């Protein structure tokens, strides 16, 4: 999503091995214990709200240790339940979902949208054949309230220019890719860089 996130902790890219894991785990446990309610003023003004993760010292495009990932999945799912109650009290229709990314776990977030943003969010991800869609990773399935959501896997994609396919972006040849077009009709190559599981409240 474009724009500067309202609630995001300091992120930093690093490749060195993270030392002092227990200290960082305690800090993440402290922060993950804080629940976040909807920013109703922002939602009314922008028709959306979201809660992003800050995983320092792990970069946004890396996969933190299992304990860190499970900690934040529990937080996002718990806040999703609270947001559902708040949204239902004010809006007849709305979009609400937890997005879990693999392998770029740091992009995971909780997202809400109303009005025109509701429809936009409903079509933001690339659809895949149900037979090709992997289930939610097993390390998350037994976490509290995770099964209260309906999970659907989508392809996480990016686009590159065809002329870069054999140059700077040759890495894309090793990943699933296919031709596509921009909104103004220019040819691009769509590259699948991972998966995103979208967890939405179940409808009765």
């Amino acid at each position: 999503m474009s724009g500067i996130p309202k609630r995001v902790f300091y992120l930093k890219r690093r490749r060195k091995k993270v030392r002092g894991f227990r200290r960082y785990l305690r800090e993440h446990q402290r922060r993950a214990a804080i629940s976040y309610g909807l920013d109703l003023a922002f939602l009314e003004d922008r028709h959306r709200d979201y809660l992003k993760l800050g995983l320092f010292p792990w970069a946004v495009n890396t996969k933190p240790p299992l304990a860190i990932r499970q900690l934040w999945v529990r937080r996002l799912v718990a806040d999703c339940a609270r947001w559902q109650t708040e949204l239902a009290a004010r809006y007849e229709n709305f979009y609400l979902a937890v997005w879990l990314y693999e392998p770029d776990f740091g992009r995971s977030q909780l997202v809400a949208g109303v009005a025109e943003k509701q429809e936009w969010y409903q079509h933001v991800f690339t659809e895949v054949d149900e037979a090709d869609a992997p289930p939610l990773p097993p390390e998350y399935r037994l976490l509290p309230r995770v099964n209260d959501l309906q999970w659907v896997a989508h392809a996480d994609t990016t686009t590159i220019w065809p002329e870069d396919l054999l140059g700077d972006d040759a890495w894309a040849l090793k990943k699933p890719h296919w031709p596509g077009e921009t909104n103004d009709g220019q040819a691009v190559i769509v590259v699948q860089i991972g998966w995103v599981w979208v967890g939405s409240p179940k409808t009765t």
Side-chain angles (χ1 to χ4, degrees):
M1 291 179 292
S2 61
I4 300 175
K6 303 181 285 65
R7 297 190 292 252
V8 60
F9 297 106
Y10 179 67
L11 298 176
K12 181 180 179 182
R13 294 179 181 272
R14 62 184 294 156
R15 296 184 179 180
K16 294 182 179 180
K17 182 179 179 180
V18 174
R19 300 185 182 278
F21 172 74
R22 290 183 181 179
R23 174 167 57 89
Y24 287 120
L25 176 60
R26 288 194 297 270
E27 176 61 17
H28 278 266
Q29 289 172 332
R30 183 188 66 80
R31 289 191 285 120
I34 302 171
S35 61
Y36 292 91
L38 277 166
D39 186 334
L40 295 174
F42 187 83
L43 181 67
E44 184 69 23
D45 181 53
R46 302 293 181 88
H47 294 168
R48 63 188 174 99
D49 196 13
Y50 48 89
L51 174 61
K52 293 187 176 183
L53 305 181
L55 297 176
F56 179 80
W58 293 277
V60 69
N61 62 339
T62 60
K63 189 173 181 178
L66 177 61
I68 298 294
R69 287 182 281 125
Q70 289 181 328
L71 184 68
W72 285 109
V73 170
R74 287 194 295 266
R75 176 73 275 149
L76 292 176
V77 170
D79 282 339
C80 182
R82 297 180 67 248
W83 285 26
Q84 182 182 12
T85 300
E86 295 181 67
L87 285 166
R90 294 170 173 82
Y91 299 94
E92 183 176 354
N93 297 299
F94 54 86
Y95 176 91
L96 178 65
V98 174
W99 298 352
L100 296 182
Y101 285 84
E102 175 79 22
D104 296 350
F105 181 81
R107 295 167 57 202
S108 300
Q109 55 194 283
L110 172 61
V111 180
V114 297
E116 80 285 352
K117 288 298 182 180
Q118 176 184 354
E119 182 176 359
W120 188 85
Y121 281 134
Q122 288 171 339
H123 299 92
V124 71
F125 292 114
T126 303
E127 299 289 339
V128 296
D129 190 290
E130 186 176 347
D132 298 327
L136 186 70
E139 58 263 35
Y140 307 137
R141 291 180 207 159
L142 297 181
L143 295 177
R145 298 186 178 179
V146 163
N147 289 323
D148 291 343
L149 303 179
Q150 180 69 43
W151 295 93
V152 178
H154 298 269
D156 181 23
T157 62
T158 189
T159 57
I160 62 175
W161 298 113
E163 58 267 27
D164 293 332
L165 193 60
L166 298 178
D168 293 340
D169 291 326
W171 56 268
L173 293 172
K174 300 179 181 180
K175 295 182 177 293
H177 59 279
W178 55 90
E181 288 187 351
T182 63
N183 291 334
D184 57 1
Q186 296 187 68
V188 294
I189 301 297
V190 181
V191 184
Q192 182 176 352
I193 57 175
W195 293 96
V196 54
W197 285 270
V198 176
S200 305
K202 295 180 180 179
T203 57
T204 56

